[in-house]
Amino acid sequence: MDKLVIQGGNRLNGTVKASGSKNSALPLMAAALLCDTGEITLERIPDLKDIRTFRKLLDYLGVETSYHENTLRISSSDLRCVKAPYELVKQMRASIYVLGPLLARFGQASVSLPGGCAFGPRPIDFHLMAMEKLGASISIEKGFIEAKIKGSRLKGTTIDFPTTTVGATGNTLMAAVLAEGTTLIKNAAMEPEIVTLCCFLEAMGARIDGTGTTTLEIQGVESLDAKDFTNIFDRIETATLLTAGAITGGSITVSDIDPGHLAAVLEKFEESGCSIITDSGSITLEGTDAIARTDVITNPFPLFPTDMQAQWIALMTQAQGTSHVIDRVYHERFNHIPELNRLGARIEIRNNEATVHGPTRLTGTTVMSTDLRASASLVVAGLVAEGVTEVLRIYHLDRGYEQIEKKLNSLGASITRESYQEFG
Ligand code: EPZ
C-alpha cells in the first residue's frame, strides 16, 4: 500500500497542466457501448485507477480496449455480456453508467447494486425511475438490478428528476438516444461533464436539444456511428491544484482548462483574498498571506461543487476568522474533518455544516485517507503543516488524480510516495 510523505512549509509557484477529466471520461467510455460497429478513439483520458476499473468492466462485457499515453481506443462490436459484476461495481459506483447503454443496445442489463460509500448513502433510485419510465422492467434480485425492456425498444417519455443528479442524467441520456420517439429530461444536470457527454453523443449522430441547460430534449435515432472525441480537462483537479497555491501563498498557473468550468470556485478564491487571472485556456492564482474567511455552500453546477468542499475546508483552516461550509449535495461528506483536526485544525461539524476556526497552526503527523476528495484535502493541508505529514491509503487519491505528487513537486512541494505495511 502507498502513502505520501509531505514536508510542509514550501510556497508553491509555477505552471502545471491539468489532466483530462475523470468524471467525463467515465460516461464517455460508457457511451462507446452504444456503437455496434467501428472503433472509437478517446483522447485526453487520464491514467487513473477508476479508468482502469472501468476498462476491466468493459473487458468483462466483451468490449475491446487499448490505452496508451492518455489515448483510449474502444471497439464494442463484440459486446456479448450484459452483466456488471459486484466486484467491479463495488470498486467504482460509476459502473452504473453501463445500465442505460446496455438497455438501449441490448434491451437488458444486470448491474450489481453499488453498495455503500465512504460519505453516506448514494442511492440510485433516480436511475431506476428513469429506466422504468423509458419502458424497462426493473427488479432487484440477489443484490443485482435486473433490467429488461418490455417491448423491442425503449420508448421516449418525460423524466423529471426530483433533484439534480449527474449520473442519472447521464444514464438517461445514453438510454434515450436510441429510444423510439422523444424524451424530455427536466431538472437535468448542467455539469461540464454532462455537456461533454451530450457533445460526444451528438457527434455520433444523436439528436439532443438544450445541451447545457436543465431541460434536454432527445429525439431517438436507430443507431449511432463511432466517432473519435477529445475529453475536457479536469476542473476538480484544477481547483485542487489552485487550492495548493492558495494555501501556501504562492502563485500558480494551471494551463489547458476552461475557466468557465470553475467560475463559482474562482469567485470564492477572490473572496478569500487571492487574485485570479484567466484567459481562454488557463487560470493563474496569486495567493495571499492573509487569507480571508470565506463561507461556502455546495450545490449543483454552476454553483460551488461538492467535490471541492473538502479542499476548501483545508484552505479555511488558514483563514483569518471562522468560516462556514455547508454541503447541500452530500450531507455526510465530512470524513476528512477528524483527520484535519489531528493535524491541529479546529473544525466542528453539525449536520451538514462545518465550522472552521482559523487560522490554526497545523503540525505534521500521520493521517488516513477515507475517500477521494478527503485525501486531496489532507495533501493540501500537509503542504502547510509544520514538519512531515504522512497521508496513508492514497489508493483513494489515485482514483482521481493523475501523478498529483509529481505535479505538486513541479510547483515546489516536497512530496515522496512510499510503500508501507498496515498493522493487522
Ligand atoms: C457525480 O456523482 C460525481 N461522480 C461525483 O464526484 C460528484 O460528487 C457528484 O456527481 C455530484 O456532483 C462522477 O461523475 C463519476 P449525483 P453522482 O447523482 O452522479 C442524490 C468525485 O469526487 N441521488 O449528482 O453519483 C445523491 O445522493 C465524485 O469525483 C439520489 O438521491 O452524483 C446526491 O445527494 C464523488 N438518487 C445527489 O443526488 C439517485 O438515483 C447528487 O448525486 C442519484 C443521486
Side-chain angles (χ1 to χ4, degrees), residues 197-371:
L197 175 61
C198 288
C199 294
F200 180 44
L201 292 169
E202 286 185 282
M204 292 194 286
R207 294 171 55 195
I208 302 169
D209 284 324
T211 295
T213 74
T214 56
T215 303
L216 299 172
E217 181 173 294
I218 302 105
Q219 306 289 341
V221 294
E222 295 290 326
S223 63
L224 295 180
D225 302 321
K227 282 285 186 298
D228 296 347
F229 192 78
T230 299
N231 185 21
I232 56 171
F233 289 100
D234 196 309
R235 62 193 174 104
I236 305 300
E237 180 205 33
T238 298
T240 306
L241 293 166
L242 293 173
T243 310
I247 203 168
T248 59
S251 166
I252 76 161
T253 297
V254 180
S255 60
D256 297 327
I257 186 72
D258 177 349
H261 291 175
L262 276 174
V265 180
L266 299 182
E267 270 174 40
K268 286 296 177 182
F269 276 127
E270 288 180 315
E271 193 180 325
S272 75
C274 300
S275 69
I276 296 287
I277 303 116
T278 62
D279 69 24
S280 60
S282 73
I283 302 170
T284 296
L285 176 142
E286 303 279 349
T288 170
D289 288 334
I291 300 168
R293 54 159 300 285
T294 307
D295 297 343
V296 152
I297 301 176
T298 75
N299 275 295
F301 192 85
L303 301 178
F304 195 97
T306 173
D307 291 352
M308 260 299 291
Q309 176 258 99
Q311 301 91 307
W312 192 262
I313 284 181
L315 177 62
M316 288 298 106
T317 66
Q318 304 307 299
Q320 311 288 328
T322 297
S323 306
H324 300 276
V325 178
I326 296 172
D327 200 320
R328 284 240 171 97
V329 180
Y330 294 115
H331 296 181
E332 299 169 39
R333 192 179 194 172
F334 294 108
N335 293 322
H336 40 289
I337 287 176
E339 297 301 307
L340 288 169
N341 286 341
R342 293 190 61 251
L343 287 168
R346 281 197 309 116
I347 310 166
E348 293 122 26
I349 313 170
R350 189 165 171 279
N351 300 325
N352 64 328
E353 176 171 351
T355 301
V356 189
H357 300 286
T360 50
R361 205 176 115 221
L362 303 184
T363 306
T365 186
T366 303
V367 287
M368 184 80 76
S369 303
T370 50
D371 58 80

Side-chain angles (χ1 to χ4, degrees), residues 3-22:
K3 63 183 174 182
L4 287 187
V5 179
I6 305 166
Q7 174 64 50
N10 300 7
R11 200 182 284 268
L12 300 195
N13 291 294
T15 298
V16 68
K17 277 170 69 71
S19 293
S21 163
K22 163 181 86 81

Side-chain angles (χ1 to χ4, degrees), residues 16-183:
V16 68
K17 277 170 69 71
S19 293
S21 163
K22 163 181 86 81
N23 288 350
S24 58
L26 296 170
L28 292 179
M29 292 167 76
L33 294 173
L34 293 164
C35 286
D36 54 9
T37 57
E39 180 181 81
I40 287 170
T41 299
L42 297 177
E43 303 285 357
R44 212 180 283 151
I45 301 301
D47 185 7
L48 298 172
K49 187 162 169 262
D50 273 8
I51 301 296
R52 292 189 286 276
T53 303
F54 209 96
R55 281 189 65 204
K56 284 178 192 162
L57 176 55
L58 294 178
D59 177 58
Y60 186 91
L61 299 174
V63 174
E64 273 178 55
T65 65
S66 64
Y67 183 81
H68 181 64
E69 290 183 355
N70 300 123
T71 297
L72 176 64
R73 287 183 173 75
I74 301 178
S75 169
S76 61
S77 47
D78 293 339
L79 179 69
R80 61 178 178 279
C81 168
V82 291
K83 180 170 185 171
Y86 172 69
E87 296 79 356
L88 289 173
V89 177
K90 178 65 187 162
Q91 289 180 48
M92 186 186 59
R93 311 177 47 76
S95 305
I96 190 74
Y97 269 134
V98 301
L99 178 62
L102 289 178
L103 275 179
R105 173 128 177 237
F106 272 89
Q108 67 179 79
S110 175
V111 179
S112 168
L113 285 171
C117 168
F119 44 89
R122 290 181 67 187
I124 54 165
D125 51 337
F126 299 158
H127 296 250
L128 305 185
M129 174 269 283
M131 297 306 130
E132 283 184 319
K133 292 206 72 172
L134 285 163
S137 67
I138 302 272
S139 63
I140 306 295
E141 294 164 30
K142 297 180 183 170
F144 276 79
I145 304 158
E146 300 299 345
K148 193 168 176 46
I149 60 176
K150 296 164 191 162
S152 59
R153 202 174 161 196
L154 292 170
K155 294 211 176 351
T157 183
T158 295
I159 290 154
D160 190 349
F161 287 119
T163 57
T164 305
T165 159
V166 173
T169 299
N171 237 332
T172 305
L173 269 166
M174 292 188 278
V177 291
L178 292 181
E180 185 183 338
T182 303
T183 297

